[in-house]
Structure formats: C-alpha cells, structure tokens
Amino acid sequence: MSAPVDVSPPPLLSIEDLVVSYATAAGRTRVVHGVSLDIRAGEVVALVGESGSGKTTIGQSVIGLLPENGRIDSGTVRLNGTPISDWSQDRLDGLRGARISLVPQDPGNSLNPVRTIGAQVGEIFRIHGYRDRAEIDRRVLELLTRVGLSDPELRARQYPHELSGGMRQRVLIAIAVALKPDLIIADEPTSALDVTVQRRILDLIDDLRAETGTAVLLVTHDLGIAADRADRVVVLQHGRIQEQGAARDVLARPTQPYTRQLLADAPSLARAAQRRPRPASTPGEPAIVVEDLTVDFSVTGDRRGTFRALDRIGFSVAAGTTHALVGESGSGKTTASRTVVGFQSPTSGRVQVAGADVASLRGEALRQWRRTIQLVYQNPFASLDPRQSIRAIVEEPLLNFAPVPAADRRRRAETLLERVGLPGATFGRPPAALSGGQRQRVAIARALVLDPAILVLDEAVSALDVTVQAQILALLDELQRERGLTYLFVSHDLAVVRQIADTVSVLQQGRIVESGPVQDVFLHPLTAYTRDLIDAVPGRRLQAAE
Amino acid sequence: MTDVPFEQQAAPATPHRLDLRTSTSRLRRSFHPGLWISWGVIGIVAAFAVVPWLFTGHDPVDGSPLERRQAPSLVHWLGTDELGRDLFARIVYGAVNTLSGAVVAVAVGLVVGTLLGVVAGSSGRRIDDAVMRLVDVLLAVPALLLSLSIIILLGFGTVNAAIAVGVASVASFARLARAEVVRVRRSDYVEAAFGSGGRFFAVLWRHVLPNSLNAVLALAALQFGSAILQISTLGFLGYGAPPPTPEWGLLIAEGRNYISTAWWLTTFPGLFVVAAVLSANRISLSLRGRSA
Amino acid sequence: MSSRYLVGRLGQALLVLWAAFTASFVLLQLLPGDAILIKFEGGDLGLSPQQIAEIRLAYGADEPVLLQYVHTLAGFLQGHFGYSIQRGVPVTEAILANLPATAWLTALGFAVATLLAGTIAVVSSLTGLRWLRSLLRGLPPLFVSVPVFWLGIVLIQIFSFRLKLIPVIGAGEWEGLVLPVLTLAVPISAPLAQVLIRAIDEVRTQPFVTVARAKGASSRWVLFRHVLRNALGPTLTLAGVLFGELLAGAVVTETVFGLNGIGRMTEQAVNNQDAAVLQAVVVISAAGFVLINLAVDLLYPLIDPRLRKTVGATT
C-alpha cells in the first residue's frame, strides 16, 4: 500500500500558525495568535477586520517589514513552498519588489516628497539590477500609461505634491506591478480616498491582476470592498481567524457570530429603508435655515487670491429631524457645518439657527446662543482635553453659564454619562484610558449637557470601527427621539447617511447639486454626480447576498 | 525665522491612535536606569548646596600651606590646591554658588520668557508680531555674547552672571511657550470649550495653560543644565563670583595655572559640571517624553 | 516664491538687524555710564580735567543722545564701529587685524563638527550592532554637557603633557590649531548630530520609506537616496544658530589656548568695559545670524520642491 501522494503544487503563499508580538512598555504584547492561511496563484484573498485585529501586522510579516519593535515569535511564511520568514533582511531585499510587492494605505505620504515620480518608479528597476537608463525611462513611461495617468512624460517629471491622491495611488500601483510580482499586498489601498476614486483604483488593481495572474492579499476594514473584490475572505478578530472561506459563502452564510455581527453593522445601502420615521415634526420655523451662503477663504493673504469653499448654498432643517450634508473631500461640507455653529463667518448670505442670525451675533449674545447648538467632532482623540477627567469634561459647559451647585453639576454630568452608556468606573479617568467609541460617547454627553436643541455631527462616526459605529448611530437615534433633537449630520459615507438622515443635500465643490428626502435622492438621483457617488459605494455583492 | 533645536525635539508625536507600533526608543525610556542615576546625581549635588558640612570635614577656604598641591589621597579625596585647601571641600561648598546661579538664571528665563510667549500666543496678530520680533532680536545674538553684554552693563558678580545667563534664555522660553500655546489653541478641545460658551480667560486657564506648560517645564530642566555650563563659563572667564569663593568654573580657572603638575585641580571640578549637566539633560528628556 | 515674499523677508531681516543695533546701543553705550570716565579719570594716568574734556570731544561723548545714536548708526552702516577705548584704535581696525585667525579657527571647527556629526548620525543609523549604535547615540548628549573651556584644558593635559604629542609652546601654525579646533568642534557637533539623528529617525517612520523598502531597497540605499535629503531640512535651520555658537565658542577657545583673535579681543573688551568693541562684535554676529537664516530660507526650495512655485500644477 502506498501513502496517498499530494500531487497539487504548494500554494503561492502559505502562512502557518503565525504568532507576532510587539515590545511595549508593559512587556511583549501578542497581536497575532496562530494564524494560518493560504493564497493560491492568481487569487484575491481579503483579510478583513476592525482596528487591532492584526490584519496589517500579518501583511507586514509576509513582506518582512514589521516595525522595529515587532517580532515573529513562531510560525512560518512560505512562498512557493520555501520558508521565508526566517530570512535575513538582506536576503529579503532580493524578493521584495520582484516577487512580493506592496500597495500602501496612505498615498499622501507614501512617495518621497523630494524626488520626481519618474525617479521613484524607475528606482525599482535600478534596485533590481537594470542599468540601461533609456530602457528604464521607456519602462517608466509605459507603466505610467498603463495605470491610466494622462501625459506620462509630464507626470514623470513632476513631484508627488503636484499630483492628486488618486494619481499618487496609481503611481504606487505602477511601482507595485513593475516587475510582475507573484503577490501584491494591498494594505487598505483606498481607505484614504474618496468613494468615486476608490472604485476606479480598485478596478485598476483588478485589471492589472487579471492581466498578469498576480495574486493579491487585500487588507481591509471594509466588508463591502472585500465582498466586491475578493475570491476568498478571511475574517480576523483580536489576532485570530474567526472564519474563512469563499467570499460568497462567508457573506451569504456566515457561521460565526462575529462575522454575523460585522455583516449586520456594516452600513449598507440596502438596509437603510428599515429606518423608522421621525416623530411628526412641529410645523413652523425650521431649526436651521441657510440661504445663499457663500464662504471665501483667502489663499495668498490678500483679496486677490481667494478660494470659494461654498458657493451660494441653501438648505433648511425642520426641527426634530436629521439633515445630512454629503460630499467628497473638498466639497465644502465641513465649512458649511462650521458656519452653522458660528466658528466660521460667512462671506455673504444668511444663516439662521433657532431664530437667530448667526453672523450678527457678537460677544455675550453669541455666548448665550451657543447653548442652543453644539458640535460633535470627527476625532474623539483630539476633541477631549487629555488632562481632564471624563466627569470634568462633561461638567465644564455648566460652569460657563448661570452657576449650578457643584453637587448638582456632578449629578447631571453622571446621569448623562450613564445615559450615553459609559460605565461608572470610567468617570474619574482621563480620555486616554477610554476606547475611541467611548470617547465619542463622552463628546456626545458634553454636547448634550447644556440641553441644546441642535447637534451638528461632523463626520462624528467616520473614525470608528463598524461595530462601534453602529452602536453610536443607534445611540444618536434614541437620543433624538427622547429629546426631540435636530441633527445636522455631515458625512462622506452615503450608506451611513441613508441610515440616519431624513433629508440630504449633496455637495460638490462648494455647490449643492441635489437635495431632498433621503429616499428620493438615493432611489432616483437626478444628477450624474449623485448617481456616481451611489454606485461607487462598495458592497453590491453584499446586497445581492441578502 | 529658524527653529531652535528644542522645538524640533518637542514637536508632538501625534498620539491620535493608541498604537502598539510606537518607536522602541520611547518605550525604553520608561524603565531606563539612567534616569534614576540622573535624579541621584542632581539630589546629591543639591544636598552639597544645602548641607555641605555633612559631606566633608575640611574647610573650603582655609587650607594648610604644608599640604600644597597634594595628589588625591585618603585624607584629601580629590587632592589639594596651591594653598593647601581640600579640593573636594571646595567642590562641595562651591555647589551652592553654581546651583543657585543656575536656579536664578532658569527662573529669569522661565518667568519672563513664558510670560512673553503666552502673551504672544494668546493675543492678536499685532501684539504677537511685536513680541516675536523682539524675541528674534534676542535669538540673533549668541547666548554668550548676550550674557557678556548684560555683564558689561551690570558689572561682575554671582547674581549678575546668573541674570545674564537667564536673559540669554528668555528667547527660547518665549518661542516654545508661544508655539505650545498656538498648538493647543488650534486643538479641537479648545474650540469645543469656546463652543460650549467658555469665556476667553476661562478657556486659557482651564485648557491652554495646563496643556502648554509641560513642554516648557521640560525646557526648564534642559536650561538648568545649560545654565550650569554657562555660569561656570562666566566663572572661568572671571566674571562671576570673586575668589576665594569656590565656584566650579572659577576652580577650573585657578587650577589651570598648575595644569602640568596638578591635573586633579582642573579635572575633578570639570567632571562634576559634566555630571550635573548630563543629569539635568536626561531629566529634561524624560519630562518631554511625558508631555508627548 | 513671489517677489512679495522676497521683499517681505528682506524687510524682516533688516528690521531685526536694526533692532539688534538699537538694543545694543542702548545696552552698551547709554546705560553703562561713562566708559571714558572709567578709563581716563581713574587717576593713574594723571590727566587734567582739560585734557579729559579734549578726549571727550574727540570721542563725541557729550553730544545729545539722539545725535550720538544717529552718528553711531551712520558709522556702522559705513563699517566704522567707533573707537576702542582700551586700545585707542578704531574698532574696525582691531577687528580686521584679528579676523583671519578667528576665521580659520571657526571654519576648521565648523568643518570638523559637521564631519563628526554626519559620521555619528550616519553610522549609528546604519549599523546593525546594537552596542555601537547606543555608544554613538550617547555621544551627542555627552558632548553638549562638556564645558568648552574644560575640554580645552583636558585636551592640553592629555595631548601636550601626558602624551607629549603637541608641544605647549612653539607648536607650528597648523600643529597649534589641532587642539583648539577640536575643542571648538566637539560641542558644536552635538546639536548638529542630535537634530540630524532625530530628523533621520522621523523620516524613517514615513510611509515612503516603507514603500522604498518594499521595492527591495537595502537600508543603506534608503538612507542615502531617500532619508538624508529629507532630513537635511531641519538640520539647515540650525545654520544661523551654529554661526553664533562658533563665535561664542571662539571667545572661550581663544582664551584657553591664548590665541589672538576676535574671541580673545571680546573677552578683553569685557574685562576692560570696552563697550564699543563688544557692540561691534554683537552687531556683526547678529548680522551673520540674520544673513545666514535669510540665505537658508531662500535656498530651502532647492531642497524641498514643495516650496517651489509650480507652473500648471494639476490635481
């Protein structure tokens, strides 16, 4: 009797029982606990997880570029059957770029600011032994053309800051595919880009991959992207694999509770219709009225060079409802929200909040008016004073107005903190001891302690993981019902907007291109731009699976 | 204008994410024995200044002419000088002159500089510009030359030398304090404080000052070390305490005449200066690490 | 870079210089009382009041303050820095006589310091040996903590008296410069090395360095072709400060080694309350600082293309 012989070739990449730890002040912290996965030639495998899941660390381990304090404790990484995880950096240098390459997360800082695009693309040829300058130049132009950059001769002479984010990501992809590697590690390749650009970049990776048969390890937090682009999906949580399998199986029939949770929390365009309608809004004066609002910024420090951030926009928000301002970066949505709360003065036009003309308010009147409208910031790590305790942060607004007895202050702060779902043990701690989601709860409690009528939420859930995001959105929804709050919700994320807003205005380069009830705008977009935005939202396969 | 080095050092590492992948140098800092040694050195030198008689039985000023220029021995640990005075006793009793000078110098720089910086950073553009041009002028002149100008004006002496060194550090404090105030003022939490109805001075007091001053304190520790250096330099040049006061820089200047025969007279006081300055710098580094 | 910026930047430099002059005038000529009285009425010279009055007239000491100020300013603008009370010669003459020696000392000191700092930063960044890295990175903090004058004395002790490599007296012109240059260079190299190391470390955490490594570049390739040029910027901003530090270092170094030069002259000026000399040195060093910083600001775009005016940039 002969033992069964496995005749299939080894997988392109095989990770076996990988354990990775980082040196921290408290000793070594493990972040990857025995992960095993295979990637076959030409396959796209998505590594999906929230922050702290270890997905980026796994990618770094494969290409041998862990941070200085990181270390592979045990386990093996094999490339075509050859173990490479114990290779020296010198030996890995020959492999990197040629056999395994990287498309990084942040195109903004991933190109050397002081060298030309051409030099940086050409460099990969020089590193791997090409000597003929003319040949290298020719190949650089060929690559830049291939990744869809117009006027490649000009681009090759330009510096990174002269290119947009999407163009820079194309250059980075050109570098990654230059030597036709077997495997590309794409670490959140589009998370820093606007949705419409995001889709084009992912399409480009798909095309190039199909052309050369390169395998891709796609590291992402976005289940929608994984669903749309991957053959197989690996779901990670806290450094362990929760579930892996063919993309359509995992998404249609998740076997693990964590995967189901992720799927349920992922904002998706399909599910938004379930939103319960707001309580009938009282007829009368809307809470916010914006008319003909224009805001110019001075660029050169004088009047000659101005940049028009907002161009005669107008919208109004009925009391007790949520209005969303949606747009990509540079659309002016943040400027609009800052003008509404009185941090930015309008160049012309009118902003009326709770019956007051915001631009005309000065001094004490402005200060008193601020009680009616509060802002919640995008980044909960920057919007809380690191030296205050949680309780002090929430109490502080009460100190600014008619004196409230200390005990009363404390009680009101604590009641509110409990209401937003923070455990009592955290009240005395500084913000640094809390997670991102908890901090955003603190920020919401601070915003509510003065009993305002209106909350302006500036990308308030964008920095959070999907499961946390879902919790905060649910909290906001409850608070709105209880207190009859009016929300102005600023976001780039259409799926989230559809979940929470009643009405929406779509901004493009400082103008409102479309507005109306959410359902109308999303189901029957009138402009090409809105349609484009909606189509670009990842997760169509996810919807199909439902 | 140009940045002084310290501001580059103090550039805040953006701690927006609680990230395990921080640099190892910062991790090692938290349990480095060098820091404990540094606090130890500063503690001992401070004790020299406060209770010198606990450390030596010899008199720092009266020596016995019979014991001139003796090499280090069990009786005279660090040897004796040309008048037979015990060198270790002179170093111990000299600490008070050098240290108090450094304290005065840092106090002058810290108070005047921080005040200027906070005013510039929290005022409107015009006052800011005026103050910072003044600071530019102070920065344009090398510290030593600035100190020498003050000394020509005020005359020689321990206190005058200390004030001269302090004035030379005003610009660094002012620039750092302003930079920190401006940084904190731009932060979301300050805007949020105004947004919840906070008045200008309340926000300044509750948020801006507490968050700006950590870096300024770290600079104070650094300046303490450099003040020791500069005060000993002025002492060496003869502009500080007059003989026979045992100031550290002056000890080295006196020992210089016997450089070929009595090496200990210059070597040991210098080592004490180096140890004190090194320790102050090390402590400054740890304070800065905490403020980041 | 627009011409508006250029004019503004130039104006700012001139303003600082003028303010430095005015401050030094107030500090050193108005407030200290009367240098001539100190010098000539001390009694040892035995001058009659009439003679003193003549001297005062010659120095212009009794003119109204504003007129003195205008005269002094006009003089400075033409390169006349007044008279040295102590030496009895024009300050300009004394400075010119002492300039070559100090120029050599500081130029060599600067060159050695740059070399030292560059070596420390590059070797400590490239070496795989942990002990060598720790050793090299420990040097700059040590160097800043050493008093310049003490370092000079210790070097004399070691090289002249112990090892007898360099004679104390009668050393050749170049031989005699070795120890002073070293004394000057070591403390100057420290801030340079610290800023360079910090800049290198910071640039190395940038994502573009990871991308370069992912292309297959070795750590040496990355350091020389990507990191160093980006790290040069912060280091260049030190140039103005270093100029002043070199001058200040020359004061101490020349005093310790008994060399004649601007530094020694300054030290003697302070001993003799010779304010005019000190004022000239202060104003010259401020001018050097301002000019060097101006040059650095204007040259910066050569290093960082982001600051260049871009024509037809598209996004």
Side-chain angles (χ1 to χ4, degrees):
Chain A
M1 275 211 347
S2 60
V5 180
D6 190 355
V7 287
S8 66
L12 170 66
L13 183 84
S14 162
I15 300 174
E16 206 174 287
D17 215 16
L18 184 71
V19 177
V20 185
S21 66
Y22 289 111
T24 65
R28 293 203 78 83
T29 309
R30 278 200 181 170
V31 295
V32 176
H33 308 264
V35 163
S36 302
L37 62 97
D38 289 347
I39 301 177
R40 285 187 293 275
E43 196 181 30
V44 180
V45 174
L47 212 49
V48 185
E50 299 185 291
S51 50
S53 63
K55 56 186 190 302
T56 293
T57 301
I58 293 173
Q60 288 167 336
S61 308
V62 169
I63 198 168
L65 289 176
L66 280 172
E68 225 180 306
N69 59 334
R71 188 180 73 193
I72 296 179
D73 290 336
S74 63
T76 334
V77 178
R78 289 195 178 81
L79 189 70
N80 286 320
T82 315
I84 56 167
S85 42
D86 56 353
W87 283 17
S88 69
Q89 286 293 329
D90 283 351
R91 204 166 165 202
L92 283 168
D93 282 340
L95 200 73
R96 286 192 282 250
R99 308 279 308 280
I100 305 179
S101 65
L102 175 77
V103 177
Q105 170 166 18
D106 172 16
N109 293 318
S110 290
L111 289 166
N112 187 339
V114 304
R115 300 187 66 197
T116 60
I117 299 299
Q120 297 189 59
V121 178
E123 186 181 25
I124 191 165
F125 295 110
R126 285 196 295 280
I127 291 170
H128 291 280
Y130 287 67
R131 288 289 165 264
D132 182 351
R133 273 169 180 272
E135 160 82 2
I136 292 175
D137 287 350
R138 197 181 55 73
R139 288 204 169 218
V140 167
L141 294 182
E142 205 178 277
L143 276 169
L144 293 180
T145 314
R146 183 65 202 85
V147 295
L149 286 170
S150 59
D151 203 351
E153 278 95 356
L154 172 67
R155 301 298 171 224
R157 285 195 309 271
Q158 283 181 316
Y159 289 93
H161 71 277
E162 298 170 280
L163 271 57
S164 69
M167 286 158 79
R168 280 184 281 214
Q169 196 58 291
R170 285 174 193 273
V171 173
L172 288 159
I173 289 169
I175 293 171
V177 300
L179 297 176
K180 299 196 168 56
D182 303 328
L183 175 68
I184 295 175
I185 295 170
D187 184 0
E188 302 266 17
T190 57
S191 60
L193 303 172
D194 285 328
V195 273
T196 50
V197 185
Q198 189 172 43
R199 185 177 54 162
R200 278 179 232 129
I201 294 292
L202 290 170
D203 286 348
L204 175 64
I205 295 178
D206 270 353
D207 292 351
L208 293 172
R209 192 190 68 69
E211 212 170 273
T212 53
T214 301
V216 175
L217 178 62
L218 181 63
V219 177
T220 182
H221 69 283
D222 191 330
L223 214 54
I225 289 180
D228 288 350
R229 309 283 169 174
D231 301 315
R232 284 200 303 124
V233 171
V234 179
V235 179
L236 279 171
Q237 186 194 18
H238 304 317
R240 291 193 171 81
I241 293 182
Q242 289 296 332
E243 183 158 6
Q244 61 174 316
R248 88 177 61 76
D249 295 343
V250 172
L251 300 171
R253 289 178 298 280
T255 58
Q256 297 300 312
Y258 178 69
T259 317
R260 271 192 291 252
Q261 179 76 45
L262 269 186
L263 277 168
D265 289 343
S268 115
L269 292 178
R271 223 173 301 110
Q274 303 156 0
R275 184 167 182 272
R276 282 177 287 168
R278 293 300 86 181
S281 55
T282 46
E285 184 81 355
I288 304 174
V289 181
V290 173
E291 278 171 4
D292 258 353
L293 173 64
T294 297
V295 176
D296 288 341
F297 288 116
S298 149
V299 179
T300 50
D302 55 45
R303 269 196 211 97
R304 280 177 303 171
T306 54
F307 164 72
R308 182 147 289 187
L310 287 177
D311 193 3
R312 304 193 56 174
I313 68 161
F315 60 87
S316 77
V317 186
T321 68
T322 301
H323 182 77
L325 293 176
V326 182
E328 299 188 292
S329 51
S331 62
K333 58 188 190 300
T334 293
T335 305
S337 70
R338 294 178 57 80
T339 313
V340 168
V341 293
F343 285 139
Q344 171 70 46
S345 45
T347 306
S348 66
R350 202 166 70 93
V351 178
Q352 190 150 353
V353 173
D357 181 12
V358 179
S360 69
L361 292 172
R362 293 279 179 282
E364 189 57 23
L366 177 65
R367 218 174 64 78
Q368 292 297 338
W369 168 80
R370 288 196 187 285
R371 308 182 66 141
T372 58
I373 182 164
Q374 289 286 304
L375 179 63
V376 177
Y377 294 80
Q378 168 171 13
N379 185 345
F381 291 78
S383 65
L384 306 178
D385 187 336
R387 298 177 69 92
Q388 282 182 314
S389 71
I390 299 307
R391 191 187 290 115
I393 288 171
V394 179
E395 278 183 30
E396 182 179 328
L398 296 172
L399 294 168
N400 297 329
F401 297 98
V404 181
D408 207 23
R409 241 179 12 235
R410 188 181 167 116
R411 194 183 43 74
R412 278 169 70 175
E414 293 188 350
T415 313
L416 208 51
L417 280 167
E418 276 160 21
R419 176 62 197 91
V420 298
L422 280 170
T426 59
F427 296 175
R429 298 201 188 141
L434 272 59
S435 68
Q438 286 179 320
R439 289 186 205 205
Q440 203 59 305
R441 289 173 193 267
V442 176
I444 291 169
R446 172 179 61 189
L448 290 177
V449 76
L450 290 173
D451 278 324
I454 306 163
L455 278 197
V456 176
L457 302 144
D458 184 5
E459 299 273 14
V461 297
S462 305
L464 306 172
D465 283 327
V466 281
T467 49
V468 182
Q469 193 176 59
Q471 291 161 9
I472 299 288
L473 286 173
L475 173 69
L476 288 171
D477 196 56
E478 289 166 25
L479 290 169
Q480 184 169 43
R481 282 167 196 289
E482 280 171 26
R483 300 170 169 243
L485 289 165
T486 306
Y487 289 158
L488 182 61
F489 191 89
V490 178
S491 181
H492 70 283
D493 191 333
L494 279 85
V496 168
V497 163
R498 191 161 182 205
Q499 230 171 297
I500 191 164
D502 300 296
T503 51
V504 61
S505 297
V506 180
L507 279 158
Q508 184 192 17
Q509 291 173 359
R511 293 164 195 259
I512 289 183
V513 294
E514 188 156 357
S515 61
V518 165
Q519 291 308 323
D520 295 359
V521 171
F522 276 64
L523 294 178
H524 314 291
L526 296 175
T527 62
Y529 179 70
T530 312
R531 248 193 312 276
D532 206 19
L533 271 184
I534 293 170
D535 288 348
V537 174
R540 255 163 303 160
R541 273 215 247 164
L542 213 65
Q543 293 165 36
E546 281 181 3
Chain B
M1 282 230 143
T2 51
D3 278 337
V4 293
F6 188 84
E7 287 172 28
Q8 291 165 358
Q9 295 168 22
T14 45
H16 283 334
R17 291 193 301 157
L18 196 66
D19 200 332
L20 294 171
R21 284 156 278 176
T22 46
S23 73
T24 38
S25 60
R26 192 163 147 206
L27 298 174
R28 278 197 214 113
R29 210 180 282 159
S30 52
F31 41 78
H32 204 291
L35 186 57
W36 294 106
I37 298 176
S38 300
W39 278 110
V41 168
I42 293 293
I44 289 174
V45 172
F48 280 3
V50 180
V51 283
W53 52 87
L54 288 185
F55 294 90
T56 177
H58 295 285
D59 189 289
V61 179
D62 287 331
S64 84
L66 296 174
E67 301 179 321
R68 291 167 53 194
R69 270 181 274 148
Q70 286 187 350
S73 65
L74 280 178
V75 182
H76 298 289
W77 293 352
L78 302 182
T80 61
D81 68 3
E82 73 283 1
L83 297 176
R85 295 175 294 197
D86 181 73
L87 181 61
F88 181 63
R90 284 182 69 71
I91 291 173
V92 169
Y93 280 89
V96 69
N97 293 308
T98 307
L99 285 199
S100 60
V103 169
V104 170
V106 171
V108 169
L110 182 72
V111 172
V112 180
T114 309
L115 214 61
L116 282 176
V118 170
V119 167
S122 50
S123 307
R125 174 120 181 248
R126 241 170 238 197
I127 295 178
D128 185 11
D129 272 356
V131 173
M132 291 327 282
R133 288 297 86 77
L134 179 78
V135 168
D136 280 346
V137 174
L138 286 176
L139 273 181
V141 180
L144 183 66
L145 293 184
L146 197 56
S147 299
L148 293 183
S149 307
I150 305 288
I151 282 178
I152 277 206
L153 180 67
L154 298 180
F156 298 173
T158 319
V159 179
N160 291 350
I163 292 174
V165 170
V167 170
S169 70
V170 163
S172 307
F173 278 107
R175 277 180 64 107
L176 181 69
R178 177 184 175 276
E180 284 292 297
V181 166
V182 168
R183 176 183 69 83
V184 176
R185 265 187 90 181
R186 284 203 197 108
S187 67
D188 283 353
Y189 59 81
V190 165
E191 193 183 82
F194 283 120
S196 62
R199 291 185 180 87
F200 179 79
F201 283 104
V203 175
L204 192 70
W205 181 252
R206 278 182 215 146
H207 301 285
V208 179
L209 289 184
N211 283 291
S212 314
L213 290 186
N214 241 345
V216 174
L217 283 184
L219 179 62
L222 191 73
Q223 286 293 342
F224 182 72
S226 106
I228 293 176
L229 265 187
Q230 293 181 48
I231 280 174
S232 68
T233 301
L234 295 179
F236 172 80
L237 293 172
Y239 308 145
T245 317
E247 192 275 330
W248 288 354
L250 191 60
L251 289 183
I252 298 173
E254 289 168 355
R256 201 179 142 211
N257 301 325
Y258 310 95
I259 183 173
S260 57
T261 51
W263 57 270
W264 55 91
L265 286 179
T266 48
T267 305
F268 289 121
L271 285 178
F272 273 86
V273 174
V274 173
V277 177
L278 209 53
S279 302
N281 291 352
R282 183 67 188 75
I283 290 166
S284 161
L285 192 73
S286 78
L287 290 176
R288 197 159 59 229
R290 223 188 299 160
S291 73
Chain C
M1 196 174 298
S2 65
S3 53
R4 264 178 76 91
Y5 170 78
L6 206 77
V7 170
R9 187 65 190 75
L10 208 64
Q12 194 198 344
L14 287 177
L15 185 73
V16 169
L17 260 187
W18 169 78
F21 166 80
T22 306
S24 70
F25 177 83
V26 172
L27 214 62
L28 295 173
Q29 299 212 354
L30 282 188
L31 298 179
D34 209 324
I36 297 168
L37 287 181
I38 297 170
K39 166 92 178 167
F40 296 103
E41 291 177 5
D44 352 340
L45 293 175
L47 296 176
S48 68
Q50 201 188 349
Q51 281 169 309
I52 291 172
E54 275 167 24
I55 293 171
R56 293 183 72 85
L57 194 68
Y59 281 108
D62 294 325
E63 288 177 52
V65 171
L66 202 64
L67 214 58
Q68 274 189 47
Y69 174 77
V70 171
H71 281 169
T72 320
L73 181 59
F76 268 63
L77 288 176
Q78 295 163 27
H80 298 304
F81 298 130
Y83 287 88
S84 162
I85 305 281
Q86 175 225 348
R87 296 173 181 233
V89 295
V91 175
T92 314
E93 212 172 273
I95 285 178
L96 284 179
N98 284 304
L99 188 63
T102 305
W104 271 116
L105 175 69
T106 49
L108 287 173
F110 178 69
V112 173
T114 314
L115 203 70
L116 199 59
T119 310
I120 289 175
V122 167
V123 175
S124 77
S125 300
L126 276 183
T127 182
L129 306 169
R130 188 162 279 189
W131 65 267
L132 184 60
R133 186 188 152 89
S134 307
L135 179 80
L136 287 173
R137 296 207 158 189
L139 283 180
L142 182 66
F143 287 175
V144 276
S145 306
V146 173
V148 183
F149 60 95
W150 183 71
L151 179 66
I153 292 170
V154 168
L155 287 178
I156 293 175
Q157 237 164 38
I158 295 173
F159 288 99
S160 298
F161 290 111
R162 300 277 146 205
L163 305 177
K164 303 202 190 309
L165 286 178
I166 295 161
V168 188
I169 301 158
E173 198 181 334
W174 294 105
E175 215 180 358
L177 268 181
V178 173
L179 293 186
V181 165
L182 214 56
T183 305
L184 189 59
V186 165
I188 299 283
S189 73
L192 208 53
Q194 279 176 319
V195 170
L196 196 57
I197 286 175
R198 200 166 298 115
I200 287 175
D201 284 354
E202 205 174 299
V203 174
R204 279 176 137 192
T205 64
Q206 295 286 313
F208 71 78
V209 169
T210 311
V211 168
R213 296 291 330 250
K215 290 177 188 170
S218 64
S219 55
R220 179 182 308 230
W221 177 297
V222 169
L223 183 71
F224 285 110
R225 290 174 200 241
H226 291 280
V227 176
L228 275 184
R229 193 163 152 205
N230 279 285
L232 212 59
T235 317
L236 259 188
T237 58
L238 268 187
V241 177
L242 285 188
F243 173 79
E245 288 300 313
L246 279 168
L247 252 177
V251 173
V252 179
T253 310
E254 288 175 2
T255 305
V256 170
F257 287 93
L259 302 172
N260 282 318
I262 308 267
R264 188 99 180 277
M265 190 178 86
T266 310
E267 186 249 347
Q268 287 166 354
V270 177
N271 279 332
N272 296 299
Q273 305 269 300
D274 198 348
V277 172
L278 188 60
Q279 191 191 2
V281 174
V282 165
V283 171
I284 288 172
S285 66
F289 176 88
V290 168
L291 286 179
I292 287 173
N293 280 338
L294 188 65
V296 167
D297 278 6
L298 298 185
L299 290 178
Y300 222 101
L302 292 183
I303 296 177
D304 193 337
R306 281 168 293 188
L307 301 174
R308 279 176 224 164
K309 195 175 176 187
T310 50
V311 185
T314 42
T315 50

